[in-house]
Amino acid sequence: MTTPSNKLPARAIIREVGLRDGLQSIATILSTAHKHTWIRAAYAAGQREIEVGSFVPARLLPQLADTAELVAYARTFPDLFVSVLVPNLRGAEDAIAANADLMIVPLSASHAHSLANLRKTPEDVVAEVARIRAARDAAGSRILIEGGVGTAFGCTLQGQVEKREVLRLMQALLDAGADRVSMADTVGYADPAMVRDLFEDALRIAGDRFWCGHFHDTRGLGLANVYAALEVGVTRFDACLAGIGGCPHAPGASGNVATEDLAYMLGSMGIQTGIDVQQLLALRAQAAQWLAGETLHGSLWQAGLPKTFTAAAAVAA
Amino acid sequence: MTTPSNKLPARAIIREVGLRDGLQSIATILSTAHKHTWIRAAYAAGQREIEVGSFVPARLLPQLADTAELVAYARTFPDLFVSVLVPNLRGAEDAIAANADLMIVPLSASHAHSLANLRKTPEDVVAEVARIRAARDAAGSRILIEGGVGTAFGCTLQGQVEKREVLRLMQALLDAGADRVSMADTVGYADPAMVRDLFEDALRIAGDRFWCGHFHDTRGLGLANVYAALEVGVTRFDACLAGIGGCPHAPGASGNVATEDLAYMLGSMGIQTGIDVQQLLALRAQAAQWLAGETLHGSLWQAGLPKTFTAAAAVAA
């Protein structure tokens, strides 16, 4: 048996997506005041990248109707990198006007999921990214455009999604003007071997423009998948406080990787995240009160940090 | 970033330890008839290694009082490898008499945990293994002796457990006559980097005699830890159906890796286990009825297998 060397990155970034991916999939509508508290506490705990919401019509996602206000609030924190999701040019114009740092345009590599979830083909999304890029440049904005390839490991509607197709669409997003690309296991179909295989190729193609891995923990493999991605050099991961989230159009796809569990795993391995896990656990306890009645996830909050956990490596900025 | 090659093993074995590690930590006393059904269904699902119980005084663990009977029952299934736990020479004599295939002698690398859990120092256990080996050989028995090094990644009582001490005790077990050694993250303190680091050294020392990794999922890293162990060439893992289990002397240490989740992860990666995951899920549903009121764990049972999961690789014998 070959024993490959295990060169893990020295640092990694957790992008908090609970305020968007998490809140969009649950019934509770969190007040803007509670979202402010969340952003403030996440920042205090050391988080420096937060996706605060989505520029979609408020009638579709009333939970996220205060996104512009949240961008403005989040922008008041020094060095906080503020992301938003935009489904189309209309949303991108809002994101440009709100002065976010990055806007994520979701594309679903599964044709069936794309039609069900976005009511567009993947090609339509690529064309929209080209229009978004033109609008961004015309506005003289510096907001980054991230093309997010979802259902990258398969789909509950269509089943198999070919790797070749996933990489082709990733390349198409870059060609259309996306500054960054990322990949999402929207429905929790990935395993560590699949992650390694796809991400190695994605990194070869996109290099530093490969931005982020987004894993749902639907079948318990979320953290194993993150570990496999770390091994091939990916250093940015989406996560939701308390593991909330999912996809309304992908049955059974519940729960992003829990931010606090991921921060613990990274910190335990000596990978710097800048995050104080204890503070995150305190924030989780607070969020659990706001979200009373919702199903939360994650493991660390029950057992607490190991006696052996030394935060030193994790919190060193 | 170095990208190591990722040579996963072609096969791996899951040893079911739910009947011992699982049942010893919960209040419900499962009837012998239900245990028979469990063993029969696990065998039918393709499991070929089962730890059926523990030879400890019935007054200490009434849940496991029928261990001798279970060994006799399990021995009636062709090619089923039957393990039992024995805390001492007295238990080993029972295991030899019962004609089990393997007996596991637990040693705790944490001195504090050893005294609390086993009422012995690690050195006492090593000496007991030598006596067990002598008794085994004197009886002309072919039962294998496995020395299981617990709290190998730290301990809730003592905190840090030095790697050097863990490896020293593993070597001492081999020197005392253990045929096999294994390591357990008894309290869920391990992370994938720690697993890789310790198991690489353990394999270098023990070679093929390094038998098994035993991970608790206390903080959600169980499957990530298994993946790290697979990468360095470990191919046998303990797991409990429905993730039951823990350690009565290690507060917060609840839940072994769930057999069905582990079988899914291995099968998804094309690693042959011989296990039919759907049958395991059916058994889990049955066990959930027997164990009504107990806290169960695991993720797969909620979401089900991915549409893309092809059992072919997993069930090929």
Side-chain angles (χ1 to χ4, degrees):
Chain A
M1 177 62 50
T2 309
T3 299
S5 74
N6 175 249
K7 196 139 174 51
L8 293 173
R11 295 160 169 273
I13 293 160
I14 300 175
R15 174 166 62 183
E16 177 61 51
V17 300
L19 289 144
R20 198 279 304 169
D21 200 356
L23 294 182
Q24 80 170 37
S25 340
I26 62 180
T28 305
I29 298 188
L30 208 60
S31 71
T32 304
H34 280 153
K35 291 181 184 181
H36 282 192
T37 304
W38 185 342
I39 292 168
R40 196 165 57 242
Y43 184 85
Q47 294 197 263
R48 289 294 177 272
E49 298 204 11
I50 303 181
E51 186 186 36
V52 297
S54 184
F55 282 113
V56 289
R59 66 183 160 75
L60 293 181
L61 285 175
Q63 302 97 314
L64 308 183
D66 53 2
T67 295
E69 202 286 326
L70 293 175
V71 173
Y73 179 73
R75 295 275 299 167
T76 64
F77 293 87
D79 300 319
L80 180 58
F81 191 83
V82 183
S83 300
V84 291
L85 185 138
V86 302
N88 50 32
L89 178 61
R90 182 70 191 79
E93 288 167 348
D94 289 343
I96 293 166
N99 201 21
D101 292 301
L102 181 145
M103 52 186 166
I104 302 146
V105 188
L107 173 150
S108 188
S110 154
H111 199 271
H113 183 267
S114 185
L115 290 175
N117 195 25
L118 306 167
R119 296 171 195 280
K120 290 175 189 170
T121 66
E123 260 60 37
D124 291 338
V125 175
V126 170
E128 192 78 354
V129 165
R131 285 187 284 272
I132 288 170
R133 172 62 185 256
R136 191 272 307 264
D137 292 350
S141 165
R142 295 176 62 186
I143 187 172
L144 291 174
I145 301 164
E146 173 180 339
V149 183
T151 60
F153 298 91
C155 154
T156 46
L157 304 172
Q158 161 179 330
Q160 203 78 38
V161 176
E162 294 300 328
K163 182 171 87 163
R164 190 188 315 185
E165 176 69 356
V166 173
L167 293 171
R168 182 186 72 78
L169 289 165
M170 183 190 79
Q171 182 66 63
L173 285 167
L174 290 167
D175 293 344
D179 306 292
R180 304 280 184 269
V181 283
S182 56
M183 286 194 184
D185 179 23
T186 314
V187 298
Y189 273 22
D191 66 50
M194 288 163 67
V195 169
R196 186 178 193 104
D197 182 51
L198 179 60
F199 280 21
E200 272 184 341
D201 284 356
L203 283 164
R204 208 171 288 133
I205 295 167
D208 288 347
R209 294 176 299 172
F210 190 81
W211 192 240
C212 193
H214 177 107
F215 296 108
H216 283 246
D217 197 35
T218 319
R219 290 167 182 83
L221 305 192
L223 293 178
N225 291 336
V226 167
Y227 178 68
L230 285 166
E231 284 195 310
V232 297
V234 173
T235 58
R236 183 179 276 98
F237 300 96
D238 285 347
C240 283
L241 188 71
I244 57 175
C247 173
H249 295 278
S254 56
N256 277 76
V257 166
T259 307
E260 62 277 15
D261 288 7
L262 176 54
Y264 155 61
M265 182 176 83
L266 295 171
S268 181
M269 296 196 294
I271 297 174
Q272 294 186 13
T273 64
I275 293 174
D276 181 320
V277 182
Q278 287 292 17
Q279 284 193 55
L280 262 194
L281 287 174
L283 172 57
R284 188 202 195 275
Q286 208 171 3
Q289 294 185 322
W290 304 334
L291 302 173
E294 302 287 353
T295 303
L296 306 183
H297 300 276
S299 296
L300 183 67
W301 71 277
Q302 290 184 283
L305 283 168
K307 257 190 183 167
T308 48
F309 184 83
T310 49
V315 299
Chain B
M1 175 64 48
T2 310
T3 299
S5 74
N6 175 249
K7 197 137 175 49
L8 293 174
R11 294 160 169 273
I13 293 161
I14 300 175
R15 175 166 62 184
E16 177 61 51
V17 299
L19 288 144
R20 198 278 304 168
D21 199 354
L23 294 182
Q24 80 171 39
S25 339
I26 63 180
T28 305
I29 298 188
L30 208 61
S31 71
T32 304
H34 280 153
K35 292 180 183 181
H36 282 193
T37 304
W38 185 343
I39 291 168
R40 195 165 57 242
Y43 184 85
Q47 294 197 262
R48 289 295 177 271
E49 297 204 10
I50 303 181
E51 186 186 36
V52 297
S54 184
F55 282 112
V56 289
R59 65 181 161 77
L60 293 180
L61 284 175
Q63 302 98 315
L64 308 182
D66 53 1
T67 296
E69 203 286 325
L70 293 174
V71 172
Y73 179 73
R75 295 276 299 169
T76 65
F77 294 87
D79 300 320
L80 180 57
F81 191 83
V82 183
S83 299
V84 291
L85 186 138
V86 302
N88 50 33
L89 178 61
R90 182 72 192 79
E93 288 166 348
D94 289 344
I96 292 166
N99 200 21
D101 293 300
L102 180 145
M103 53 185 166
I104 302 145
V105 188
L107 172 151
S108 188
S110 154
H111 199 271
H113 183 268
S114 186
L115 290 175
N117 194 25
L118 306 167
R119 296 171 195 281
K120 291 176 187 169
T121 66
E123 259 61 36
D124 291 338
V125 175
V126 170
E128 192 78 354
V129 164
R131 284 188 285 271
I132 289 170
R133 173 63 185 257
R136 190 271 309 262
D137 292 350
S141 164
R142 296 176 63 187
I143 187 171
L144 291 174
I145 301 165
E146 173 180 338
V149 184
T151 60
F153 298 92
C155 155
T156 45
L157 303 171
Q158 163 180 328
Q160 202 80 38
V161 177
E162 293 300 329
K163 182 171 87 164
R164 191 189 314 184
E165 176 69 356
V166 173
L167 293 171
R168 183 185 72 77
L169 289 165
M170 183 189 79
Q171 182 67 62
L173 286 166
L174 290 168
D175 293 344
D179 306 292
R180 304 281 185 267
V181 283
S182 56
M183 287 195 184
D185 179 22
T186 314
V187 298
Y189 273 22
D191 66 50
M194 289 164 66
V195 170
R196 186 179 193 103
D197 182 51
L198 179 60
F199 280 20
E200 271 183 343
D201 284 356
L203 283 164
R204 208 171 289 133
I205 295 168
D208 287 347
R209 294 176 300 171
F210 189 82
W211 192 241
C212 193
H214 177 108
F215 296 108
H216 284 246
D217 197 35
T218 319
R219 290 167 182 83
L221 306 193
L223 293 178
N225 291 336
V226 167
Y227 178 69
L230 286 166
E231 284 195 310
V232 297
V234 174
T235 57
R236 184 179 275 97
F237 300 96
D238 284 348
C240 283
L241 189 71
I244 57 174
C247 173
H249 295 278
S254 56
N256 277 77
V257 166
T259 307
E260 62 277 15
D261 288 7
L262 176 54
Y264 156 60
M265 183 175 82
L266 295 171
S268 180
M269 297 196 295
I271 297 173
Q272 294 186 15
T273 64
I275 293 174
D276 181 320
V277 183
Q278 288 290 17
Q279 284 193 55
L280 262 194
L281 287 174
L283 173 56
R284 186 203 197 274
Q286 209 171 1
Q289 294 185 323
W290 304 334
L291 302 173
E294 301 289 351
T295 304
L296 306 183
H297 299 276
S299 295
L300 183 68
W301 70 278
Q302 291 185 282
L305 283 169
K307 257 189 184 170
T308 49
F309 184 82
T310 49
V315 297

